[in-house]
Amino acid sequence: MADRSFLSWPFLSPRHQELHDRVEAWAVANISRLSGDGESSAAAAATVRLMVAEMGKAGLLSTAVGRDRSLRGSLDARSLCICREVLARHAGLADFSFAMQGLGTGPISLFGTEEQKERWLPSVARGTTISAFALSEKEAGSDVSALAMRAQPDGNQWRLDGAKTWISNAGIAGLYVVFARTGEAPGAKGLSAFVVEADTPGFSVAKVIDLIAPHPIGTLAFDGVRVPAANMLGSPGDGFRIAMATLDVFRSTVGAAALGFARRALDEALKHASRRKLFGQPLSDLQLTRAKLADMALAIDAAALLIYRAAWTKDVKGTRISRESSMAKLFATEEAQKVIDSAVQIFGGLGVTHGHIAEKLYREIRALRIYEGASEVQKLVIATRLLAEAQTGCPHAPVGQG
Ligand code: COS
């Protein structure tokens, strides 16, 4: 049984506890039935389709897209973190299915007009449309301001040309939020965000990418894709800020997914260490094992504190949380990698056996230290905010827009 003590921390309220229990009950009742056996990209895509549909029916996705009535339509970072933590503890693809419905529509939830929200969010919340966040390009993953994809005005439309890669849900998404250069200014200031529906002529999936822990991901091609002006989010030139503010919310939730993986690794390691006999005693009686377990638990609690601090700051203080969410993602993902590695070590040979839970977690966690900003990028964000704060003396000093 995973540790629940964090649910009574002051960052969270009774409605978060209720959400935790609801998601946990859904996960216990449904995840193994929905998880396919195969470990290919195609099998993962089929599983994600199924999971999204079932999560939609169960009402879980309204939290992911900020359509939860009790929250009056806003994204609640603590709820997102709780859902991701619980789902990741059960299965990586369950977390992925939930998270991408949120990230893919995050720019609409945060920056869309009421009309745009009404147009695109309900079907994503119902699980009948899958969404995707299309930012990265071959030469612009970490360096977003180097983005090359173009969008040019064409009458009452925009014409999009170029390619995106490493796009989660490529091929199964019905809508993509796409960032492209509209050229108001050089670098970060010349980008805009558009919603592109998958059946728009000129749009195609050029390649499916196979990962060590498969999930649907690939390369997209845009060849004269025309979208109405009404599909632009915000104003021309707002794209970089929209992308970064969306990532500010979702980066702490990546930390929460890592936390879920780490909690599972610790739970499994505790059970194994108590049962396994070695040198005439349980493995857990060995001091070296105890030291490992203590380090794992410490990393998990520290990560949880950073994650729920970041989420609380967004929800309650409403200030920019670039520093807090980058710290949460950086620490939680890096520490989860170590926690899971320790679990593999405690399991010994079993831990490196294909299909074993520790082996699966070992593959699942790796990508989280890279996507939505690699650990190195998180350090840049933290240092930039620190320097800005040092100059202004204000702990949540805006830098430019923000
Ligand atoms: N909210 C609002 N505005 C923001 C912001 C945020 N979170 N972050 C930056 N901005 C603004 C800045 O204030 C700055 O505005 P001014 O020029 O008016 O001061 C502008 O945007 C440019 O910011 P900055 O100079 O920090 O941009 P850089 O090009 O140096 O980029 C990094 C900074 C590297 C941090 C950014 O490109 C990044 O996060 N990269 C990783 C992207 C990523 O996660 N990729 C994975 C794809 S999604 S799976």
Side-chain angles (χ1 to χ4, degrees):
M1 178 72 180
D3 184 7
R4 296 169 51 87
S5 58
F6 74 100
L7 290 169
S8 56
W9 288 353
F11 295 128
L12 301 174
S13 64
R15 78 181 157 80
H16 294 113
Q17 192 158 346
E18 186 274 329
L19 177 68
H20 174 278
D21 294 350
R22 189 156 61 87
V23 181
E24 177 71 27
W26 183 86
V28 169
N30 295 286
I31 286 183
S32 16
R33 149 182 100 76
L34 298 173
S35 303
D37 296 332
E39 275 244 355
S40 62
S41 298
T47 301
V48 170
R49 276 202 176 96
L50 211 56
M51 291 229 185
V52 167
E54 291 296 317
M55 285 179 189
K57 279 188 212 151
L60 300 185
L61 296 177
S62 53
T63 302
V65 303
R67 304 279 296 178
D68 199 322
R69 267 201 210 103
S70 65
L71 298 168
R72 291 187 299 278
S74 65
L75 277 177
D76 184 67
R78 290 166 297 171
S79 299
L80 293 172
C81 289
I82 282 178
C83 291
R84 290 199 70 175
E85 180 183 335
V86 172
L87 294 169
R89 186 155 45 69
H90 287 271
L93 280 182
D95 162 60
F96 173 86
S97 304
F98 173 88
M100 286 312 303
Q101 291 298 85
L103 179 66
T105 52
I108 305 174
S109 305
L110 293 168
F111 294 93
T113 60
E114 280 314 308
E115 197 189 348
Q116 289 172 325
K117 290 183 195 175
E118 264 317 303
R119 185 170 157 203
W120 288 302
L121 297 184
S123 68
V124 177
R126 282 195 302 273
T128 50
T129 300
I130 291 179
S131 72
F133 183 80
L135 180 66
S136 298
E137 298 178 5
K138 200 165 161 230
E139 304 293 338
S142 292
D143 184 5
V144 177
S145 60
L147 211 141
M149 183 162 158
R150 293 221 147 265
Q152 289 167 298
D154 184 6
N156 201 23
Q157 297 182 318
W158 288 89
R159 181 195 154 122
L160 277 67
D161 290 281
K164 293 281 170 188
T165 193
W166 302 110
I167 306 307
S168 289
N169 280 341
I172 63 169
L175 72 84
Y176 296 80
V177 171
V178 178
F179 296 86
R181 184 161 298 287
T182 40
E184 290 67 31
K189 295 200 191 302
L191 308 179
S192 301
F194 301 89
V195 177
V196 177
E197 293 174 11
D199 56 3
T200 313
F203 170 84
S204 63
V205 177
K207 191 179 155 200
V208 168
I209 301 170
D210 291 316
L211 301 181
I212 55 171
H215 71 238
I217 188 167
T219 303
L220 310 174
F222 297 79
D223 184 9
V225 171
R226 285 184 169 76
V227 294
N231 284 31
M232 179 185 272
L233 300 171
S235 304
D238 281 352
F240 189 86
R241 187 173 63 94
I242 291 177
M244 292 303 130
T246 304
L247 289 169
D248 275 355
V249 175
F250 282 89
R251 279 175 179 157
S252 39
T253 79
V254 179
L259 177 62
F261 290 149
R263 284 201 198 280
R264 177 68 180 269
L266 177 59
D267 289 351
E268 299 288 345
L270 279 169
K271 274 189 269 174
H272 180 73
S274 311
R275 283 192 209 125
R276 170 99 161 100
K277 294 277 191 309
L278 204 70
F279 304 114
Q281 60 192 329
L283 180 56
S284 57
D285 279 2
L286 298 177
Q287 286 198 344
L288 284 173
T289 310
R290 289 186 171 217
K292 266 199 176 53
L293 293 171
D295 286 343
M296 291 161 85
L298 174 62
I300 285 172
D301 274 10
L305 281 162
L306 282 172
I307 290 160
Y308 289 106
R309 187 265 303 243
W312 174 87
T313 306
K314 186 227 155 251
D315 295 339
V316 177
K317 298 199 70 161
T319 51
R320 182 167 158 184
I321 55 157
S322 306
R323 180 172 68 109
E324 290 84 350
S325 60
S326 285
M327 282 183 171
K329 181 185 187 281
L330 173 65
F331 187 82
T333 56
E334 292 291 330
E335 291 302 310
Q337 182 85 63
K338 294 180 204 156
V339 167
I340 292 167
D341 189 64
S342 294
V344 170
Q345 200 68 15
I346 287 173
F347 275 103
L350 282 177
V352 287
T353 309
H354 193 61
H356 189 274
I357 182 67
E359 180 266 350
K360 271 193 183 170
L361 291 166
Y362 191 75
R363 286 184 290 119
E364 291 276 8
I365 186 60
R366 191 62 185 84
L368 277 64
R369 292 167 56 207
I370 298 171
Y371 73 59
E372 287 180 46
S375 292
E376 292 76 6
V377 166
Q378 307 312 328
K379 289 183 185 175
L380 285 182
V381 174
I382 295 164
T384 303
R385 298 304 294 161
L386 281 180
L387 290 164
E389 289 160 19
Q391 276 164 20
T392 60
C394 167
H396 291 98
V399 177
Q401 289 177 301

